[in-house]
Amino acid sequence: MPPGAEKGDRLKTLEIVLAVIVAIAIVGGAGELGFGLALRWAKAGQTIRIGSRDAAKAKDAAARVKAIVPEAAIDGFDNLQSASEASVVVLAVPFSAQAGILKSIKSALKQAILVDASVPLAATIGGRPTRLLGVWEGSAAQQAAGLIPGVSV
């Protein structure tokens, strides 16, 4: 958005972007971050596909969202299946799981935009939760881009 753009212009642009999204997959959607994102997007009327390594956990998280937002268009799947029919895939997993999960869903990401919400906290390797790990590539998203070339991150 240009520096002088009005708030209304930015909101209109966001509405247009959201209108072209077919579905949002949240890989790690049964966790706290993923569940919070699913709940907010469901309230906004987006179609949500919660993904988890355990499809039963994803279905349970989807049912919890449905209990709060009865009109929600949401369902739970395993990670690969959740990402396979989404135009936007949000990775909401611990940083330590990032590489393995990206490799397992790579084939489903060719036509999607990946949003990596993983944070490289030192706590994942026994350090302080208030410290960040240095990521050689510069950030978790840049590391993700290197792991899945050809995918928009």
Side-chain angles (χ1 to χ4, degrees), residues 72-89:
I74 189 166
D75 207 348
F77 306 91
D78 65 47
N79 286 330
L80 182 61
Q81 190 176 359
S82 74
S84 68
E85 295 178 24
S87 51
V88 174
V89 177

Side-chain angles (χ1 to χ4, degrees), residues 10-151:
R10 290 185 300 222
L11 290 175
K12 186 66 176 170
T13 301
L14 180 59
E15 288 172 4
I16 291 168
V17 168
L18 290 176
V20 298
I21 295 174
V22 175
I24 300 171
I26 306 172
V27 174
E32 292 178 18
L33 172 61
F35 181 80
L37 291 171
L39 184 59
R40 282 153 185 84
W41 281 323
K43 285 181 178 179
Q46 295 300 310
T47 300
I48 307 298
R49 299 174 57 82
I50 291 183
S52 177
R53 288 173 292 177
D54 179 354
K57 284 184 180 180
K59 288 188 181 302
D60 178 59
R64 291 186 353 230
V65 170
K66 267 285 214 208
I68 299 167
V69 186
E71 68 278 6
I74 189 166
D75 207 348
F77 306 91
D78 65 47
N79 286 330
L80 182 61
Q81 190 176 359
S82 74
S84 68
E85 295 178 24
S87 51
V88 174
V89 177
V90 178
L91 189 64
V93 300
F95 181 69
S96 58
Q98 179 203 48
I101 289 177
L102 283 175
K103 288 177 184 176
S104 74
I105 65 171
K106 181 179 180 179
S107 63
L109 298 174
K110 293 299 179 194
Q111 300 300 316
I113 295 170
L114 177 70
V115 178
D116 189 341
S118 48
V119 179
L121 294 176
T124 62
I125 58 168
R128 294 182 180 179
T130 56
R131 302 263 170 107
L132 291 176
L133 294 174
V135 179
W136 183 257
E137 291 82 352
S139 70
Q142 288 170 311
Q143 177 171 296
L147 292 168
I148 50 172
V151 175

